[in-house]
Amino acid sequence: MRIEQHLEMTVSESMDKELTELLQHAFPSIYPNRRYFKQLPHFRLIAYEDERIIGQVGLDFRVMNMNGESIHVLGIIDLCVREEVRGRGVGRALMKKVIALGETYPIDFLLLFADRPDLYERIGFHTVSNTCTWLQINDENQTTRGIGEASFEELMIRQVGDKRWSDGTLDLLGYLY
């Protein structure tokens, strides 16, 4: 297995087709017929076996506002692995690379919304309770619906910089992953 980093704007037509198929199989009830749900990530880590894509994770680098303070966040989007290779460490290898990026660059926190928190707790993530605000996007017709505000049980972070996480308000300053 090898893992490559791809800027989103460099994804080829054949990669687009493979990524779309992988994401639709991983998230069958919600994923539209494209390689992203609401918005394109900035870049992806893609795991290959020979020339076949076997896993991927989208990454979105952005500034967010936590209780009036700017924080640099690397958002983790739609980590998934082909069903036939699950259990072979592909997801863990992808997340290890994500953590290394977070520790290498000026990033304060890794952030994700987890449907399986136990998988991420094993690698140093923990659940946080913040009231979030975000740009609501209608994923079907790709239009702005307004500003959302809610708390999420699925919100998890991992500190990779010097700043400390705090309870309170988290403004994502963009869409919800």
Side-chain angles (χ1 to χ4, degrees):
M1 172 182 61
R2 75 181 190 286
I3 296 175
E4 294 179 0
Q5 183 174 310
H6 292 271
L7 291 174
E8 191 63 23
M9 65 185 136
T10 66
V11 171
S12 68
E13 192 174 319
S14 63
M15 285 174 64
D16 174 72
K17 190 175 182 177
E18 267 192 276
L19 288 166
T20 299
E21 183 263 329
L22 173 63
L23 288 158
Q24 286 179 326
H25 280 94
F27 308 103
S29 61
I30 62 166
Y31 233 86
N33 189 24
R34 58 182 184 248
R35 71 178 187 261
Y36 62 95
F37 185 58
K38 293 181 182 178
Q39 188 58 266
L40 290 167
H42 292 127
F43 64 103
R44 295 173 195 265
L45 296 177
I46 299 177
Y48 294 89
E49 192 168 70
D50 299 319
E51 296 308 308
R52 183 173 181 233
I53 294 175
I54 59 170
Q56 77 94 50
V57 61
L59 297 164
D60 186 70
F61 181 56
R62 93 167 66 146
V63 170
M64 294 182 182
N65 183 303
M66 183 170 53
N67 297 318
E69 181 183 355
S70 295
I71 57 173
H72 292 103
V73 173
L74 187 59
I76 300 164
I77 308 164
D78 298 335
L79 171 67
C80 59
V81 175
R82 286 197 183 278
E83 193 170 353
E84 63 270 20
V85 297
R86 288 183 190 157
R88 292 184 16 204
V90 176
R92 182 175 286 275
L94 285 165
M95 287 304 295
K96 189 174 179 180
K97 293 269 190 190
V98 171
I99 292 166
L101 286 170
E103 292 172 344
T104 301
Y105 295 103
I107 296 168
D108 300 312
F109 303 97
L110 304 176
L111 181 144
L112 56 84
F113 291 86
D115 57 351
R116 292 272 319 271
D118 59 307
L119 297 175
Y120 300 100
E121 288 168 349
R122 294 180 206 159
I123 55 172
F125 284 79
H126 66 276
T127 303
V128 291
S129 297
N130 294 79
T131 299
C132 299
T133 56
W134 71 95
L135 176 67
Q136 292 179 319
I137 296 176
N138 180 320
D139 59 279
E140 291 179 19
N141 63 16
Q142 295 186 288
T143 57
T144 301
R145 293 187 341 212
I147 303 297
E149 184 174 343
S151 295
F152 297 95
E153 292 179 12
E154 303 87 357
L155 179 59
M156 299 186 81
I157 62 107
R158 177 179 166 141
Q159 180 183 331
V160 289
D162 295 331
K163 291 188 179 178
R164 299 280 179 226
W165 192 267
S166 62
D167 291 337
T169 304
L170 175 66
D171 189 337
L172 277 68
L173 298 177
Y175 74 103
L176 186 67
Y177 303 130

